[in-house]
Amino acid sequence: MYKRTNLRSFWAFIFSLFFILPTECDAQQKIGVVLSGGGAAGVAHVGVLKALEERHIPIDFVVGTSAGALVASMYACGYSPAEIEAYILSEPFQLMVKGEVEVEKKFFFFDDSNTSSMFNIPFSKDSILQKSIPLSFVNPTYFDFEMLRIFGRTSASIGNNYDQLFVPFRCVASDVIKKESVVFSNGNLNESVRASMTFPLYLNPIRINGVLYFDGGLYNNFPLNVMYESFPADFIIGSNVTKNEITSNENDFFGLLSSMMTTPTNYNLPCQEGLIIEPQTVVGTFDFEDVKQAIDDGYRATLAKIDSLELLITRREDPDSLALKRKKFQEKILPIRVSSVKTEAVKKNEFKYANVFILPQKSHRILGESLLEERYFRLASTPQIDFIYPNFQAKSDGTLELLLKVKKSKEFRADFGGLISSRAVNTGYFNLTYRSIGRVSHKISAESYFGKFYGSLRTNYELVIPSVFPISISGYFTLNRWDYFRSFATFFEDVKPSFLVQNEAYTGAKIKLPLGNNARWMMDARYFSLEDDYYQSSQFTNKDTADYTRFYGTSFSLEYTKNSLNKKQFATSGHFFQVKARYVNGFERTVPGTTSILKDTVEKQHQWLSVQAEFQSFVLNQGKFHLGLHGKTVVNSQSLFANYTASLLSMPSFNLVPDMETFFLPEYRATQYFGLGTNVIFEIVKKLDYRLDVYYFQPIVQLQQNLDGTIQYGKPLQVHSMVASSSLVYDTPIGPVRATLNYFPKQENPWFLQLSFGYVLFNERAVR
């Protein structure tokens, strides 16, 4: 009996070795996932994670580099593959990787883009002669805020310890000074992921604890060794979309740069227990518009190897249990509630400006996500600030402190631009700006337009007092000159003599206040002096003398503007609304020339009130098709000047087609009118649009010249007109290239073809 009992115990022991122990080992089997870099192609990792979760394969540790670091860190923060995919396919992600900002987030208060500037070069007084290449192909402002929004509060909630994430995580970046790969296991998570994704010249590098970091893929693009050395993984799943390829295409700038800077990576598993998935995708490094294709490619590549994975990995993750664990983890994460701001700057008190802008020190208000976002982008739009990097730090009361690393812009900026046209309206543009910042910000600028048709000189000083609602106070002086020398002529025709020359000089002061992110209110007071030289007849010779009208006085105006258009000219989306009231009080002196019916000098006092409103709204944006409505109305109590031409020159003009600014068109001038039109736009290919702009123009009353040369207003609503413009517009990185056919039906030759490069934008008129 005793022997039989021993025999049974022996067989029970053998059974446990073969069945019970393996089951316990399977239950404890730890799975690590490693995701390579690869830019937009690296988004294929989302499809890999999606397929693994669908087949209930557990993930206990994640490691990534570059794009793989983004996907891995989102998973480590408790985002499901479906949630990661939804974000990758969202508009915020597309804006982030392109370096753009949603128009609703732009702070229109600081906008000074309504010039012909096409590109600018910032420089410092101690580096004027040094050549400088921008370190960022895209603007990192939106990118860095998104990293903060996604990872910042999670990182602060776990004490910046990556082992305390939903899934323990590691990522790598490159210390280019020491030329070595660095592993991040703690610290601000958004900062670590940002460092890992900083591809040279695509995103600017950042400093962490004084060390300058670039993309982790430069020295370790597939960090299998980091998984092996950092975590007790029993089985490693690698997802790799890259190879050690040397680019020989001289036209592939980023490929050549990567080949020069990248150290070959070992793509072999450091142990036998593992499997590598290699999604084959045609999506290129910067083809972020095709990320859905990359995700699908990663999903299919994983399903192709899923049978092998299921044989090698016997442990399974219950989906309900996994969802519950995610929910419990996310419940522990602090919400975005910012109660204080701390700025890190090179000099003490250098950026008190930044603190006051977002959350004044004595304020007891707590900022939620939307309000923080609004104020952050307001601060980031300050011209005197070049770069902001944000972090969160948890406070004992459950709120967050916003930590800002702020870098000043270079003191000087030179802008260049203008208009190159097949018509004789070619204009150059140059602007030099000095800017400084401390407790307040200052900006001094001098700009010039130069050309035969238009010339201008403008100086401006602006002081901005920071607060949640900042105040801008500025003083300016402007000279303008328009020379309508048969401006219907082409560039190759003889364009002399001039028949109408306008000179303006005005100086004044302006106060500006924001009304939300996209709107501002402005008050302006100025003194002006206008001089017009013109002929009363088109039949004049060089022996004739022109009429001369001088008008000088003062003007006061109030203006409200709301602008969310996506471009400063030839917009395709967004909205614009402006209403402006102006009071003018001045004195006219007109001296007749040889072509005038007048014999004596005329002197008159004028005063009037003008109210005008303009709107543009793109009401339909369906894929490549855009439809906008655009209108303008003016009500003006202006009295008549000495003669027909002088009166016309003082009147408001209808100019919703940009090229109308370069013509003198009497039929589109009136003291009171309204005009309405449509903007029909079709995107032929990326950045190439076809536009058709058609407007109806209705003067309430229009000035008429009698046969004897006297003038009078016609009957109300007696005449009307239209104008149309058909264009092909290609948006280059520095400005639009256009082929335009304009139609002005009341001209002797109503069709005008024009080829141009640049912007048809000029400095503001004095009063008209």
Side-chain angles (χ1 to χ4, degrees):
M1 185 71 177
Y2 175 76
K3 290 182 179 180
R4 184 177 297 176
T5 302
N6 286 344
L7 188 61
R8 288 176 179 173
S9 298
F10 172 76
W11 286 110
F13 174 73
I14 296 299
F15 178 82
S16 69
L17 288 176
F18 282 93
F19 295 97
I20 299 175
L21 287 181
T23 302
E24 291 177 355
C25 289
D26 290 344
Q28 296 173 0
Q29 189 182 30
K30 299 295 183 181
I31 312 302
V33 172
V34 180
L35 308 180
S36 74
V43 176
H45 303 317
V46 180
V48 174
L49 297 177
K50 182 179 177 181
L52 293 177
E53 280 211 358
E54 284 182 358
R55 302 304 280 260
H56 314 314
I57 292 175
I59 300 173
D60 300 291
F61 315 105
V62 284
V63 173
T65 189
S66 196
L70 174 65
V71 176
S73 58
M74 290 189 73
Y75 191 84
C77 286
Y79 290 88
S80 69
E83 290 172 326
I84 301 173
E85 180 178 17
Y87 177 72
I88 296 294
L89 298 178
S90 70
E91 183 182 8
F93 177 82
Q94 289 296 325
L95 292 170
M96 178 182 82
V97 296
K98 293 175 183 176
E100 299 175 0
V101 176
E102 293 167 295
V103 289
E104 292 78 11
K105 292 183 174 65
K106 293 180 179 179
F107 194 33
F108 183 59
F109 175 76
F110 284 120
D111 182 72
D112 60 356
S113 64
N114 196 38
T115 69
S116 286
S117 174
M118 299 167 73
F119 65 95
N120 63 74
I121 301 175
F123 59 94
S124 298
K125 58 186 177 182
D126 56 352
S127 62
I128 294 177
L129 299 179
Q130 294 180 6
K131 294 181 180 179
S132 176
I133 299 176
L135 293 179
S136 182
F137 181 74
V138 302
N139 187 324
T141 302
Y142 195 39
F143 196 106
D144 293 335
F145 187 82
E146 281 293 285
M147 293 293 98
L148 177 75
R149 187 182 66 82
I150 296 170
F151 303 120
R153 64 191 183 101
T154 303
S155 184
S157 300
I158 61 164
N160 296 330
N161 182 351
Y162 302 169
D163 288 335
Q164 299 301 313
L165 289 166
F166 176 70
V167 176
F169 165 76
R170 300 287 186 272
C171 72
V172 297
S174 299
D175 181 343
V176 293
I177 304 300
K178 294 183 179 179
K179 292 183 170 53
E180 63 183 19
S181 182
V182 177
V183 179
F184 290 107
S185 60
N186 56 60
N188 295 301
L189 181 60
N190 56 300
E191 211 167 36
S192 300
V193 175
R194 167 67 158 82
S196 186
M197 297 181 68
T198 303
F199 191 86
L201 295 188
Y202 182 73
L203 275 175
N204 64 306
I206 62 171
R207 290 186 184 273
I208 303 177
N209 298 325
V211 179
L212 197 65
Y213 288 104
F214 274 100
D215 194 288
L218 295 180
Y219 302 141
N220 191 351
N221 205 31
F222 194 29
L224 290 161
N225 64 311
V226 176
M227 174 64 73
Y228 186 73
E229 295 165 3
S230 301
F231 297 117
D234 300 302
F235 191 91
I236 298 175
I237 301 173
S239 176
N240 176 39
V241 295
T242 61
K243 296 179 181 179
N244 289 323
E245 292 184 343
I246 302 299
T247 299
S248 58
N249 183 353
E250 65 274 14
N251 296 318
D252 184 0
F253 174 77
F254 283 110
L256 290 170
L257 182 66
S258 180
S259 297
M260 289 188 291
M261 300 187 66
T262 302
T263 299
T265 297
N266 183 2
Y267 294 104
N268 298 317
L269 284 165
C271 62
Q272 293 183 346
E273 299 301 319
L275 185 146
I276 295 180
I277 301 168
E278 296 183 303
Q280 300 299 312
T281 181
V282 296
V283 177
T285 303
F286 298 102
D287 296 337
F288 288 103
E289 293 180 351
D290 301 324
V291 287
K292 183 64 169 68
Q293 177 67 48
I295 293 172
D296 293 341
D297 291 337
Y299 182 78
R300 284 191 293 268
T302 307
L303 291 183
K305 292 198 174 183
I306 203 71
D307 292 339
S308 299
L309 283 171
E310 289 178 332
L311 286 174
L312 295 168
I313 301 172
T314 54
R315 177 182 154 217
R316 295 292 178 269
E317 184 82 65
D318 178 65
D320 294 332
S321 175
L322 181 62
L324 182 61
K325 285 194 291 184
R326 275 202 177 102
K327 183 179 179 181
K328 288 183 177 180
F329 175 80
Q330 291 167 348
E331 287 174 348
K332 296 187 296 183
I333 304 304
L334 295 171
I336 295 181
R337 297 175 66 246
V338 174
S339 59
S340 61
V341 180
K342 184 178 180 180
T343 305
E344 175 187 317
V346 177
K347 297 179 181 178
K348 186 178 180 181
N349 294 329
E350 187 173 39
F351 280 111
K352 289 290 185 182
Y353 178 100
N355 295 44
V356 174
F357 218 97
I358 294 182
L359 190 63
Q361 197 169 22
K362 295 181 180 180
S363 173
H364 299 291
R365 186 166 189 174
I366 294 177
L367 304 183
E369 181 178 330
S370 61
L371 195 55
L372 171 65
E373 183 178 60
E374 178 183 282
R375 294 187 182 181
Y376 178 86
F377 282 101
R378 286 184 179 187
L379 175 64
S381 66
T382 303
Q384 289 84 353
I385 293 178
D386 180 58
F387 177 65
I388 303 175
Y389 197 84
N391 284 309
F392 282 143
Q393 180 173 291
K395 299 177 71 173
S396 58
D397 61 357
T399 62
L400 297 169
E401 182 172 51
L402 178 65
L403 307 175
L404 297 175
K405 297 178 182 178
V406 183
K407 179 184 177 183
K408 287 200 308 182
S409 296
K410 293 181 178 179
E411 296 100 319
F412 295 93
R413 192 184 81 175
D415 286 73
F416 304 88
L419 176 68
I420 301 173
S421 173
S422 58
R423 288 181 51 236
V425 291
N426 296 280
T427 309
Y429 175 81
F430 175 74
N431 179 31
L432 181 64
T433 302
Y434 170 78
R435 49 205 180 176
S436 65
I437 190 170
R439 292 183 179 273
V440 296
S441 71
H442 307 266
K443 187 170 72 170
I444 303 172
S445 63
E447 68 178 359
S448 174
Y449 288 84
F450 43 93
K452 174 63 177 173
F453 164 69
Y454 174 68
S456 179
L457 177 65
R458 179 179 175 85
T459 60
N460 184 73
Y461 168 76
E462 182 181 31
L463 167 71
V464 175
I465 302 171
S467 73
V468 174
F469 295 97
I471 301 173
S472 165
I473 303 171
S474 60
Y476 57 85
F477 173 74
T478 304
L479 293 173
N480 286 325
R481 176 183 173 87
W482 281 269
D483 192 343
Y484 293 92
F485 43 91
R486 286 178 54 204
S487 57
F488 286 91
T490 68
F491 179 74
F492 301 100
E493 292 181 272
D494 178 20
V495 294
K496 295 180 179 180
S498 302
F499 78 95
L500 193 161
V501 177
Q502 294 183 287
N503 288 282
E504 297 184 344
Y506 61 92
T507 184
K510 189 180 297 183
I511 297 176
K512 188 168 57 176
L513 293 171
L515 294 172
N517 267 19
N518 295 138
R520 67 189 182 194
W521 173 86
M522 194 158 55
M523 179 175 68
D524 183 292
R526 63 181 57 162
Y527 171 81
F528 62 87
S529 176
L530 315 182
E531 294 182 1
D532 296 335
D533 291 274
Y534 50 90
Y535 290 96
Q536 291 284 340
S537 169
S538 59
Q539 305 299 318
F540 61 90
T541 68
N542 290 331
K543 295 181 179 179
D544 287 315
T545 59
D547 284 46
Y548 167 85
T549 296
R550 186 185 178 201
F551 182 53
Y552 58 91
T554 56
S555 168
F556 177 80
S557 66
L558 292 172
E559 176 186 311
Y560 169 81
T561 306
K562 186 171 184 179
N563 188 358
S564 62
L565 295 176
N566 65 334
K567 302 175 187 177
K568 64 180 178 181
Q569 201 163 53
F570 312 115
T572 58
S573 66
H575 309 279
F576 173 86
F577 175 74
Q578 182 182 79
V579 59
K580 187 172 186 176
R582 182 190 294 276
Y583 171 75
V584 177
N585 186 356
F587 184 80
E588 173 203 358
R589 185 172 188 269
T590 296
V591 179
T594 57
T595 62
S596 175
I597 63 168
L598 299 174
K599 301 302 179 183
D600 300 318
T601 298
V602 177
E603 294 182 343
K604 281 186 179 182
Q605 186 74 30
H606 296 273
Q607 57 180 340
W608 68 80
L609 178 65
S610 172
V611 178
Q612 67 178 46
E614 180 182 348
F615 80 94
Q616 185 173 23
S617 179
F618 285 90
V619 295
L620 184 61
N621 293 282
Q622 295 289 338
K624 295 186 175 184
F625 179 76
H626 308 272
L627 176 64
L629 297 177
H630 194 185
K632 185 176 182 179
T633 185
V634 174
V635 178
N636 192 328
S637 63
Q638 180 176 337
S639 54
L640 293 176
F641 277 56
N643 57 58
Y644 178 71
T645 304
S647 297
L648 281 178
L649 290 174
S650 67
M651 289 180 181
S653 62
F654 180 72
N655 53 5
L656 298 189
V657 172
D659 291 328
M660 296 179 77
E661 290 276 17
T662 65
F663 295 99
F664 177 62
L665 303 170
E667 63 270 27
Y668 296 106
R669 289 175 177 259
T671 55
Q672 301 177 41
Y673 68 78
F674 67 86
L676 181 65
T678 61
N679 313 120
V680 180
I681 302 160
F682 182 76
E683 183 182 345
I684 300 173
V685 295
K686 186 177 180 181
K687 295 188 178 298
L688 177 62
D689 297 333
Y690 170 73
R691 297 182 64 100
L692 178 62
D693 304 308
V694 180
Y695 295 92
Y696 172 81
F697 173 67
Q698 178 63 69
I700 306 302
V701 290
Q702 196 166 41
L703 188 64
Q704 294 180 347
Q705 186 175 30
N706 300 319
L707 293 176
D708 61 359
T710 59
I711 55 176
Q712 66 180 30
Y713 283 118
K715 294 180 180 180
L717 306 177
Q718 184 179 20
V719 296
H720 60 82
S721 185
M722 65 168 293
V723 61
S725 178
S726 177
S727 303
L728 283 174
V729 183
Y730 179 74
D731 284 315
T732 73
I734 59 174
V737 176
R738 287 188 302 140
T740 301
L741 183 63
N742 292 313
Y743 176 63
F744 305 129
K746 293 195 174 182
Q747 294 296 312
E748 183 178 348
N749 296 309
W751 299 98
F752 299 95
L753 178 65
Q754 177 174 328
L755 304 177
S756 65
F757 174 45
Y759 296 100
V760 189
L761 292 170
F762 310 109
N763 277 328
E764 182 185 17
R765 294 266 189 166
V767 293
R768 44 198 172 190

